[in-house]
């Protein structure tokens, strides 16, 4: 009986610690999310032959993080699970996928009621439209972009953007994108640094 009681008390203590850890609020200058990272079922991201969106999302986000940390900027990088966060700026990195190849391209998602995010989106589009030579969709062209699950988890001073950086299911786009992933990451990092300086 005593062992059972000890086991129950220890189990409840561990459960309490885990609950507190999961409920903690992250405070950071930049929140970066690698879309779909860490998911093994459900929406795991687009796949096209040997190309997996989640791998590209992770690579680009790690490169952005590396660039920002070189500048001494406090960065928190997360995967699909977004903790409650206070941040100056938040960016989620994705590549789109489509059942009809080459029917999408780059796009931006943000909370349409948040004017700061809308301004941030306009600034990013000005930068990336000059570089990305393929199709652009209107902002928030899907429900997943307009109502991104992370928006409710993050309190951002300057805004929270979901960047769809191109279509991974379009061979023409992937041939262009793949050798430029580091350049794209640098463009996102430079955009974030510029925004933080304003």
């Amino acid at each position: 009986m005593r062992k059972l009681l000890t086991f129950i008390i220890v189990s409840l203590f561990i459960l309490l610690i885990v609950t507190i850890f999961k409920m903690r609020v992250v405070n950071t200058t930049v929140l970066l999310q690698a879309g779909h990272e860490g998911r093994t079922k459900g929406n795991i991201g687009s796949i096209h032959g040997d190309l997996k969106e989640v791998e590209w999302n992770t690579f680009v986000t790690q490169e952005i993080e590396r660039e920002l940390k070189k500048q001494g900027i406090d960065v928190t990088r997360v995967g699909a699970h977004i903790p409650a966060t206070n941040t100056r700026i938040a960016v989620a990195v994705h590549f789109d996928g489509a059942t009809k190849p080459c029917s999408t391209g780059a796009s931006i998602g943000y909370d349409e009621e948040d004017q700061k995010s809308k301004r941030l989106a306009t600034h990013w589009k000005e930068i990336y439209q000059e570089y990305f030579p393929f199709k652009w969709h209107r902002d928030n062209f899907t429900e997943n972009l307009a109502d991104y699950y992370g928006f409710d988890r993050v309190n951002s001073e300057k805004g929270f953007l979901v960047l769809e950086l191109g279509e991974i299911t379009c061979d023409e786009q992937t041939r262009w994108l793949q050798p430029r992933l580091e350049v794209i990451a640098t463009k996102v990092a430079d955009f974030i640094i510029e925004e933080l300086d304003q």
Side-chain angles (χ1 to χ4, degrees), residues 104-121:
T104 70
S107 61
I108 304 172
Y110 54 87
D111 180 351
E112 290 182 328
E113 295 179 14
D114 182 6
Q115 293 304 311
K116 298 172 295 183
S117 291
K118 193 177 281 190
R119 187 203 61 75
L120 202 63

Side-chain angles (χ1 to χ4, degrees), residues 14-136:
I14 291 170
L15 183 63
L16 176 66
I17 296 299
V18 169
T19 302
I20 290 170
F21 180 77
K22 284 185 175 182
M23 292 177 62
R24 80 189 192 291
V25 175
V26 174
N27 293 297
T28 188
T29 303
V30 178
L31 178 70
L32 295 175
Q33 186 211 14
H36 310 289
E37 184 180 42
R39 284 198 183 124
T40 56
K41 58 185 178 183
N43 188 355
I44 60 169
S46 298
I47 298 173
H48 181 63
D50 293 338
L51 302 177
K52 295 179 181 175
E53 177 196 355
V54 67
E55 292 175 358
W56 281 25
N57 297 344
T58 302
F59 176 80
V60 170
T61 306
Q62 287 172 336
E63 289 297 306
I64 297 167
E65 177 185 30
R66 188 177 60 76
E67 289 291 325
L68 295 176
K69 285 187 172 181
K70 279 194 324 193
Q71 301 299 315
I73 297 169
D74 179 35
V75 180
T76 299
R77 190 177 70 78
V78 299
H81 172 72
I82 301 175
T85 305
N86 294 314
T87 186
R88 292 197 63 205
I89 190 168
V91 173
V93 172
H94 286 264
F95 289 86
D96 207 3
T99 51
K100 181 182 172 191
C102 302
S103 61
T104 70
S107 61
I108 304 172
Y110 54 87
D111 180 351
E112 290 182 328
E113 295 179 14
D114 182 6
Q115 293 304 311
K116 298 172 295 183
S117 291
K118 193 177 281 190
R119 187 203 61 75
L120 202 63
T122 300
H123 183 200
W124 170 248
K125 199 184 303 185
E126 288 169 359
I127 293 166
Y128 201 54
Q129 274 183 328
E130 285 184 19
Y131 183 69
F132 184 73
F134 301 100
K135 182 176 184 174
W136 269 82

Side-chain angles (χ1 to χ4, degrees), residues 123-173:
H123 183 200
W124 170 248
K125 199 184 303 185
E126 288 169 359
I127 293 166
Y128 201 54
Q129 274 183 328
E130 285 184 19
Y131 183 69
F132 184 73
F134 301 100
K135 182 176 184 174
W136 269 82
H137 277 287
R138 64 179 169 78
D139 296 359
N140 291 320
F141 83 101
T142 68
E143 189 176 312
N144 285 342
L145 283 175
D147 297 323
Y148 196 65
Y149 71 97
F151 293 157
D152 293 338
R153 308 277 305 146
V154 177
N155 176 32
S156 177
E157 175 189 320
K158 291 186 165 283
F160 185 166
L161 297 183
V162 181
L163 305 182
E164 294 279 6
L165 297 169
E167 183 190 330
I168 200 167
T169 50
C170 177
D171 291 336
E172 184 182 6
Q173 288 187 42

